Amino acid sequence: MRRHLWGYGLVLSVAILSPLGAENPSRLQDAQALEKTMEEAIAKAEPSIACVLVSRSEKYGRQRSSKEERERGKLGGYVAEAQVPADVFPQRPPRRGQERDPLDLSDPNNVPEAYGSGVVIDANGLILTNFHVVRDAEKIYVRLPGGKGSYADIHAADSRSDFAVLRLIDKLPDLKPLKKGDASNLKKGQFVLSLANPYAAGFRDGSPSASWGIVSNIRRRPPGSPNEQERTKNLHQYGTLLQLDARLNLGCSGGAVIDLKGELIGLTTAEAALSGVETPGGFAVPMDAGMWRIVEKLKEGKEVEYGFLGVSFDNVEAKAGEQHEGVFIEKVIAGSPADQAGDKEGPRAIQPHDMILSIDGVRVHEIEDLFLVIGVQLAGREVQLEIKPARGSGLEKRTVKLAKFNSPGKTIASNVPAAIGGLRVDYTSLLVQRQAIDPRFGRISIVAGVMIREVIAGSPADAAQLQPDKVITQVNDQKVTTPTEFYLYMEGARKNGNKVNLLVANSDGNGSTTVTLNLR
């Protein structure tokens, strides 16, 4: 690796010195100082870079996870075929002696069918990678520099951000998390380094390859559908990506982009490139405050709940990309966060024809800026909006608590709320977003309460014939507006007695009835 970097340093040195000749030895010293800075940054980051080996094979027999286990990300390890009853692998004869087992991803002699890279983000065995690297995986093995490794489960994953966090099944000593950086202030021309495991290299010993370059551009969009409904499936379609001139070959997804301090400022992604194409440069997801917020939620093993404000536009596609002083609001959805004042008793937080200039200090100039900034704030968070009112003069600041965006992509969460009384609930803002894309619905509004998301078979809620998409508005005469409030009140009711009374309405808020559940 040292020779590899020296080659780059020599080219840089020649470029610097050639106009000035040998009369400027200080320029050579400058180049050598830069080279040493790069070497130190790479040496600091390299122990934290993982190779992620993935199999989607159906040949694991009884070692395949069930559908329910895969939905929770539990893939499990692998038991060598010689230790498994013969009827588990009826399609192949039993192994003899030390013959290679092609299904054992831990064997460095096996060439994996799919793989990518990853980054250690927690000393207890959490690895950050891209969701598309582990999509539909049957088994995952993570190999680190020095040849150490472990099979892994998917701790949590989110297709909209294209992030996944893996949890190593075996405890590995001396795991070193890569230090968090901040990509929010990156500028074109800044030096960056990348560490990843490109195709046909690194999967045997876990040693990542290094490259370097500059930030070519920021806020890039990957190729994709111009249709807004399709684009909501991927957060990066709103323009998040870093474009780098550092070489990122196919297979580099999930690798680290670091700054000269050795801090993680980006996660490489090959999926943003045109399919099947290798280019001199590549793309990376910037690790700024919004993306770290998503990663922290995944580290907890939880679903990422994107923020929802409740404003709409007559023609999003026609206005996308237009630059203005702020974002002009055309409509406000009744009952949404945008329709609520901070004290819940005053006028709307946002009026039609208001203009939003910033969100928590982040300026927004176009519709996609607003969708992106609101989304990564996450549901349940309070944000401050800077508004230019349609009526009156001057600027105003208003605070709203975000609801939940209806993300159609796949999620995996190993840590889900306990089903109290057999119920799991969610934000009612999901209902109104489903209605908004169905032409059979007329005027829509968000009902104050929580939506029933899941009813556990054989539970008290099942016995009471409660159904998904019904809305719970009260728990023992206490109004509920968020899932957090619901679980808090239900837990209190369980501690204080055997029964709880729920006020349950239809998805449109009408037809309320009281349902009593026995929680013991």
Side-chain angles (χ1 to χ4, degrees):
M1 180 183 298
R2 186 179 182 88
R3 289 195 300 271
H4 175 70
L5 283 174
W6 167 245
Y8 281 121
L10 180 61
V11 171
L12 181 63
S13 300
V14 171
I16 293 172
L17 290 171
S18 57
L20 301 173
E23 298 177 0
N24 292 278
S26 63
R27 294 299 180 90
L28 177 59
Q29 293 172 358
D30 291 342
Q32 289 174 331
L34 175 60
E35 179 188 54
K36 185 165 184 61
T37 298
M38 291 181 177
E39 289 182 343
E40 290 175 350
I42 290 172
K44 186 186 299 184
E46 184 174 9
S48 306
I49 310 304
C51 187
V52 179
L53 287 66
V54 178
S55 176
R56 298 177 174 89
S57 173
E58 297 182 355
K59 296 180 180 179
Y60 286 96
R62 293 178 186 173
Q63 294 192 53
R64 293 185 67 200
S65 301
S66 67
K67 179 181 177 182
E68 291 75 19
E69 287 174 325
R70 288 198 298 273
E71 288 177 350
R72 293 287 183 262
K74 191 171 180 58
L75 305 180
Y78 177 69
V79 180
E81 182 183 344
Q83 303 174 30
V84 180
D87 62 342
V88 173
F89 294 98
Q91 70 272 26
R92 291 187 286 114
R95 293 174 61 231
R96 295 184 299 275
Q98 298 300 314
E99 293 179 9
R100 182 172 61 87
D101 182 352
L103 293 180
D104 186 4
L105 297 178
S106 69
D107 187 340
N109 294 312
N110 286 336
V111 179
E113 62 184 81
Y115 64 92
S117 302
V119 179
V120 178
I121 56 173
D122 190 280
N124 291 319
L126 297 183
I127 310 295
L128 175 65
T129 187
N130 288 130
F131 174 85
H132 71 263
V133 170
V134 298
R135 182 189 290 117
D136 300 326
E138 289 290 345
K139 296 292 178 186
I140 298 172
Y141 187 82
V142 175
R143 183 171 290 128
L144 289 140
K148 63 183 178 182
S150 168
Y151 279 92
D153 292 327
I154 302 176
H155 186 55
D158 173 63
S159 62
R160 191 170 188 232
S161 63
D162 197 26
F163 282 150
V165 170
L166 312 180
R167 177 177 286 281
L168 302 183
I169 294 175
D170 298 326
K171 186 172 179 60
L172 301 183
D174 304 322
L175 283 182
K176 182 181 178 182
L178 193 52
K179 189 173 181 180
K180 291 169 59 174
D182 183 6
S184 60
N185 294 316
L186 282 180
K187 300 290 191 301
K188 294 180 187 180
Q190 281 190 235
F191 282 121
V192 291
L193 304 162
S194 77
L195 285 164
N197 291 279
Y199 184 75
F203 68 84
R204 286 190 171 90
D205 60 8
S207 178
S209 298
S211 63
W212 75 302
I214 63 170
V215 177
S216 302
N217 216 329
I218 58 176
R219 294 295 307 271
R220 309 308 288 167
R221 295 178 174 86
S225 170
N227 182 276
E228 180 69 18
Q229 187 172 330
E230 291 295 316
R231 291 169 66 183
T232 58
K233 296 180 181 179
N234 190 317
L235 192 67
H236 307 303
Q237 294 288 354
Y238 294 122
T240 64
L241 298 178
L242 300 174
Q243 186 176 1
L244 313 174
D245 78 339
R247 184 174 181 83
L248 302 179
N249 297 324
L250 296 179
C252 285
S253 288
V257 177
I258 61 175
D259 58 19
L260 296 183
K261 296 182 291 184
E263 297 179 355
L264 183 64
I265 57 171
L267 199 71
T268 59
T269 174
E271 193 173 64
L274 294 175
S275 179
V277 175
E278 293 191 18
T279 65
F283 294 92
V285 180
M287 300 308 297
D288 54 21
M291 294 303 167
W292 280 119
R293 199 174 292 124
I294 293 171
V295 171
E296 288 301 318
K297 186 66 66 173
L298 295 174
K299 285 176 66 175
E300 296 174 6
K302 296 180 179 180
E303 174 190 358
V304 178
E305 297 179 315
Y306 292 95
F308 176 75
L309 182 59
V311 294
S312 63
F313 313 90
D314 286 334
N315 190 345
V316 173
E317 285 299 319
K319 293 180 173 60
E322 293 182 3
Q323 288 276 339
H324 297 287
E325 179 186 5
V327 178
F328 180 79
I329 304 302
E330 295 176 351
K331 296 180 180 178
V332 176
I333 297 175
S336 70
D339 190 37
Q340 304 296 320
D343 58 7
K344 298 185 179 181
E345 300 296 334
R348 282 179 166 178
I350 301 174
Q351 299 283 352
H353 308 144
D354 283 353
M355 181 177 288
I356 298 178
L357 303 181
S358 70
I359 302 165
D360 272 0
V362 179
R363 292 301 301 266
V364 291
H365 298 284
E366 56 178 293
I367 292 170
E368 294 191 341
D369 291 341
L370 185 145
F371 288 158
L372 175 61
V373 176
I374 287 293
V376 299
Q377 289 291 342
L378 305 186
R381 286 178 59 90
E382 285 192 346
V383 298
Q384 187 177 78
L385 309 176
E386 185 181 24
I387 303 290
K388 185 176 182 179
R391 300 174 181 175
S393 60
L395 304 179
E396 298 180 9
K397 292 185 177 181
R398 301 168 190 170
T399 300
V400 298
K401 180 179 284 189
L402 299 177
K404 182 178 177 180
F405 176 79
N406 182 38
S407 179
K410 183 176 180 180
T411 64
I412 296 173
S414 59
N415 181 9
V416 296
I420 302 179
L423 289 172
R424 290 193 177 96
V425 300
D426 217 324
Y427 286 84
T428 54
S429 57
L430 300 178
L431 291 170
V432 75
Q433 291 171 79
R434 295 172 192 168
Q435 294 171 1
I437 61 175
D438 190 331
R440 295 174 300 173
F441 290 91
R443 183 178 181 275
I444 57 176
S445 63
I446 297 177
V447 180
V450 292
M451 175 193 80
I452 297 177
R453 176 172 178 167
E454 183 181 3
V455 178
I456 306 301
S459 68
D462 187 31
Q465 299 184 342
L466 291 178
Q467 299 175 355
D469 291 354
K470 292 282 189 178
V471 174
I472 298 172
T473 60
Q474 293 183 18
V475 175
N476 281 346
D477 298 324
Q478 293 176 298
K479 292 182 179 180
V480 292
T481 57
T482 66
T484 299
E485 290 178 348
F486 172 81
Y487 292 121
L488 179 65
Y489 296 154
M490 287 290 284
E491 184 62 32
R494 182 166 58 181
K495 290 180 179 179
N496 294 328
N498 296 332
K499 296 182 179 181
V500 61
N501 294 321
L502 305 178
L503 189 62
V504 182
N506 296 324
S507 59
D508 59 4
N510 296 320
S512 295
T513 58
T514 298
V515 176
T516 300
L517 300 184
N518 190 335
L519 300 181
R520 297 289 176 89

